[in-house]
Amino acid sequence: MSPREACDAASGLAAHERRVARDLELLGLPPRHWPATKPGPDGQPLIDVVVIGAGMCGIAAAAGLIFAGVRNIRVLDQNPAGREGPWLTFARMATLRSPKHLPGPAMGIPSLTFRAWYEASDGPGGWERLYKIPRDVWMDYLGWLQRVLALPIENGATVTRLAPAGGAIAITVETGTGTRLLHARRVVLATGRGGAGGLHTPDLVDRGLWPDLAAHANEAIDFGRLKGRRIAVLGGGDAAWDNAATALEAGAAQVDMYVRRDVLPQVNKGRGAALAGFFAGVGALDDAERWSLFVYRDDHAPPPPHETVLRTIRQPGFNIHFNAPVAAAARDGARVVVRIEGDATPRDADFLVVATGFAIDLRACRELAALAPEIATWGDRYTPPPALARPHLALYPYLGDGFELQRRRLDGPAELERIHVFNIAAMPSIGAVTGEIPGIGYGADRLTAAIAAAIFREDIAHMRRELDAFAEPELESTPFFVPGRE
Ligand SMILES: Cc1cc2nc3c(=O)[nH]c(=O)nc-3n(C[C@H](O)[C@H](O)[C@H](O)COP(=O)(O)OP(=O)(O)OC[C@H]3O[C@@H](n4cnc5c(N)ncnc54)[C@H](O)[C@@H]3O)c2cc1C
């Protein structure tokens, strides 16, 4: 961008931000804060809601709460500002997979959409020229939303433990300067794809390969170090392809991708289910219907985007092996030995990328680990017919209507229901309204309405007192005004 274009873009964005301010004014947003101030166990006022994670879902949750008049909130993120979420950390695709026109976390306000921001900052014609959204541009947009909505975000703040605390939640936070304890009435876990169990690495992969001979696809990888090397990739999903392409572009000599299937999945069923009906309706289905739909989605893994496949196969040195389930991957000196089921000949490589996605297991989720035995999972609440039994899916938490955790035992800690899971783990309970762009607006509306209603219920005595004290003299300017009778 030339200095002139940069100047035009800055003035376009400044004008756009005035439009955002005007839109908010026209909608009366944000409304006055209304919840009661309640003391916490340490005598300090409780925070109403702590949102953990300042990525797309954390932004939408925080904005929704503020727009619901619940303004005593904090947002904490372990990453530095501008590096929340996967976009500049472990995402390796050139562009987002989603189409560019989705409203995403705009909270129903046109000037907050990606399109409105992009048109304002990129100048005339930019939107038409844009094919899909580059991931660094998406990160810029999310950072702009954080700023223009003045969200109360603290970066470099890692939540390491959540614990019941006399009707509230105690939140242990580690920062560069030490550890502190916050108390909140409610907590929203907007902790992303890895936020419900971390990275999934199958047992067949020798942990002794780390750090010099292997990495998970969703970890930081120094691809410069892999120049001239032979890379084995375990898995055939989108992250596998993104990592293969990145390694080859960085000069890797060869990539061998090992895939269990005989062909790649052909259809992205998630796109077929990206409809308002699914977003609004899945949470209203009974357990059998929700489970069957979730199993269907899980059985129909999406294909990698065609752009990603074309990007990868454009590079020399790429090989894909179908019908090649990896039985073991282990260290042999300075190389990786990969054994394929049913094949006596081992394959070797200089480095292994494990592209097997994320796990769902609350016991492995640092902030919830101590509470995990008390949390109800789908396995606790629903027994599917044998054909639909999927033990790995049974570990998903069984959530209430407002994304709140449920107790496994009736006499378990009631405070669990003050923790709202607003990440991918909500999928079987409420549908694809958390961890993906198309449904995020529906999810945020549902979450924030549920939290506002729960706080209102708890504060009903305070709200009645406030109502009693409300004495605005409507008739003061008329002959029927009776002083002292307001
Ligand atoms: C590589 C990749 C590509 C994707 N592409 C698309 C796409 O094209 N379209 C689409 O719809 N979806 C896509 N998704 C899915 C989804 O949109 C993203 O995962 C998105 O980042 C979800 O937003 P989020 O706010 O839930 O999580 P994130 O953006 O991951 O944000 C979670 C935040 O929580 C913070 N955090 C986690 N734990 C703690 C803790 N204990 N204490 C403090 N902070 C914590 C993290 O630092 C992080 O910043 C993609 C996902 C990935 C991984």
Side-chain angles (χ1 to χ4, degrees):
M1 200 184 266
S2 71
R4 174 64 195 269
E5 284 168 336
C7 182
D8 288 350
S11 67
L13 193 58
H16 183 64
E17 289 180 10
R18 289 193 292 278
R19 181 181 152 202
V20 172
R22 176 76 176 140
D23 283 353
L24 295 180
E25 185 189 2
L26 289 172
L27 291 165
L29 294 174
R32 187 167 68 84
H33 175 79
W34 53 264
T37 301
K38 300 226 160 162
D42 55 0
Q44 298 298 311
L46 284 171
I47 302 165
D48 286 333
V49 185
V50 165
V51 178
I52 308 175
M56 177 180 73
C57 289
I59 292 170
L65 288 166
I66 291 171
F67 291 172
V70 179
R71 299 175 63 174
N72 171 24
I73 66 167
R74 306 263 185 90
V75 186
L76 307 174
D77 199 296
Q78 63 197 6
N79 283 6
R83 292 186 69 80
E84 298 91 351
W87 315 110
L88 299 186
T89 50
F90 59 83
R92 301 193 171 104
M93 66 286 185
T95 65
L96 264 60
R97 312 188 203 292
S98 298
K100 63 179 180 179
H101 61 265
L102 296 172
M107 310 307 294
I109 300 171
S111 57
L112 290 180
T113 56
F114 174 81
R115 177 173 183 170
W117 170 81
Y118 192 82
E119 286 178 345
S121 36
D122 205 67
W127 175 255
E128 284 69 31
R129 283 193 301 274
L130 182 71
Y131 169 57
K132 282 189 170 179
I133 305 173
R135 56 192 166 80
D136 56 332
V137 175
W138 181 249
M139 185 75 247
D140 285 349
Y141 164 66
L142 294 179
W144 176 75
L145 280 182
Q146 294 173 346
R147 181 171 63 75
V148 83
L149 293 169
L151 300 181
I153 297 173
E154 180 181 346
N155 288 96
T158 304
V159 174
T160 53
R161 184 162 187 261
L162 300 175
I169 304 291
I171 302 152
T172 305
V173 187
E174 287 180 11
T175 64
T177 54
T179 301
R180 69 181 197 275
L181 201 59
L182 300 176
H183 291 97
R185 297 172 70 170
R186 290 185 177 261
V187 167
V188 172
L189 287 172
T191 44
R193 284 280 155 120
L199 304 178
H200 172 58
T201 303
D203 291 341
L204 58 90
V205 178
D206 171 12
R207 301 301 193 274
L209 288 167
W210 271 258
D212 53 326
L213 291 188
H216 194 283
N218 300 124
E219 288 180 311
I221 301 178
D222 176 3
F223 284 94
R225 211 163 54 85
L226 302 182
K227 198 170 171 157
R229 304 294 179 88
R230 295 161 310 145
I231 317 297
V233 175
L234 171 50
D238 37 23
W241 288 83
D242 289 335
N243 278 270
T246 308
L248 290 166
E249 286 165 2
Q254 181 180 327
V255 167
D256 288 281
M257 184 184 284
Y258 296 104
V259 181
R260 249 187 318 217
R261 300 164 182 271
D262 56 345
V263 291
L264 291 175
Q266 301 293 303
V267 177
N268 183 348
K269 294 284 183 182
R271 194 152 290 175
L275 291 173
F278 281 93
F279 298 144
V282 170
L285 298 175
D286 66 25
D287 286 354
E289 289 164 327
R290 287 191 288 179
W291 183 259
S292 142
L293 195 55
F294 187 52
V295 166
Y296 179 83
R297 287 286 304 269
D298 192 69
D299 286 354
H300 291 79
H306 65 272
E307 295 93 339
T308 308
V309 173
L310 295 174
R311 172 188 170 201
T312 312
I313 61 175
R314 199 176 296 138
Q315 302 290 328
F318 176 72
N319 306 300
I320 185 163
H321 307 274
F322 289 107
N323 292 312
V326 172
R331 175 185 287 273
D332 179 10
R335 59 187 195 121
V336 185
V337 177
V338 177
R339 291 183 189 282
I340 308 296
E341 266 175 40
D343 183 347
T345 315
R347 327 280 176 100
D348 64 344
D350 302 315
F351 195 80
L352 175 72
V353 176
V354 181
T356 45
F358 298 96
I360 299 286
D361 182 357
L362 299 184
R363 294 166 299 188
C365 178
R366 185 174 36 174
E367 58 273 20
L368 286 178
L371 289 171
E374 300 291 352
I375 297 172
T377 61
W378 270 84
D380 295 321
R381 290 293 176 91
Y382 177 66
T383 306
L388 293 181
R390 300 286 186 282
H392 67 290
L393 303 184
L395 292 176
Y396 274 74
Y398 185 96
L399 303 179
D401 278 350
F403 299 90
E404 67 278 20
L405 290 171
Q406 303 287 297
R407 284 176 273 181
R408 173 174 270 152
R409 301 176 293 119
L410 270 180
D411 57 350
E415 288 92 342
L416 279 180
E417 288 162 26
R418 295 175 175 277
I419 301 175
H420 301 256
V421 178
F422 199 49
N423 62 31
I424 195 73
M427 193 134 161
S429 301
I430 311 198
V433 292
T434 52
E436 289 169 4
I437 298 167
I440 181 63
Y442 290 84
D445 285 350
R446 183 183 186 119
L447 173 82
T448 53
I451 292 180
I455 290 179
F456 182 81
R457 272 198 307 277
E458 281 168 20
D459 286 359
I460 186 62
H462 162 80
M463 300 307 289
R464 287 297 301 263
R465 280 194 300 278
E466 292 273 296
L467 188 56
D468 279 348
F470 179 76
E472 192 178 275
E474 176 69 28
L475 294 181
E476 196 169 16
S477 59
T478 76
F480 300 101
F481 177 55
V482 184
R485 298 288 295 275
E486 305 91 340

